[in-house]
Amino acid sequence: MARKTSLESGLDHFQQDSAKELKKLLDQASKALGDAESFSGDKAHEAREKVIALLNEAKGSITEKGREAVELGRETLGNAQDRIESNPWTSVAVASGFGLLIGLLVGRGSK
């Protein structure tokens, strides 16, 4: 089994945390909406306000997770750039190999 890189581990952790947090917030909003159905007057208004607050919290959380994802993407791009710059001929060889492979597959498919 291949060993996970720190980037893969970070992405897995990020995905699991995001999913848990979003599920928790949506469960709370769903419960508050269910409670609101049985209320009237001030109680219904309070429940509605609670749902709005929870949805705003979810929106903020999603925005923050989006920022984290962008930062992780920038870090990954930086790491790839560093690797390419430190091994330019290896990068050229790998890119040429992929190009040759794709050329062979496309050429084979058109006959």
Side-chain angles (χ1 to χ4, degrees):
M1 185 169 106
R3 197 178 124 229
K4 277 192 174 184
T5 64
S6 62
L7 175 63
E8 291 171 324
S9 295
L11 286 172
D12 287 347
H13 184 69
F14 173 79
Q15 182 182 13
Q16 290 169 358
D17 285 352
S18 298
K20 284 179 189 176
E21 188 172 338
L22 186 56
K23 183 181 181 324
K24 181 181 88 171
L25 289 169
L26 290 175
D27 286 346
Q28 289 174 348
S30 178
K31 181 183 180 307
L33 280 174
D35 292 345
E37 289 179 1
S38 63
F39 296 145
S40 63
D42 288 339
K43 292 273 189 188
H45 180 71
E46 288 175 22
R48 194 169 35 253
E49 291 296 319
K50 183 176 180 180
V51 169
I52 290 170
L54 287 169
L55 292 175
N56 285 334
E57 183 180 341
K59 181 181 174 186
S61 176
I62 290 170
T63 301
E64 180 61 30
K65 293 296 181 183
R67 285 189 191 116
E68 289 176 18
V70 167
E71 184 59 36
L72 189 56
R74 285 186 182 140
E75 181 181 327
T76 302
L77 183 59
N79 290 341
Q81 181 104 17
D82 291 344
R83 187 167 289 195
I84 289 169
E85 288 174 0
S86 66
N87 301 305
W89 290 110
T90 303
S91 301
V92 169
V94 169
S96 298
F98 278 122
L100 178 64
L101 180 63
I102 290 171
L104 289 172
L105 291 173
V106 169
R108 187 179 245 184
S110 64
K111 288 183 180 181

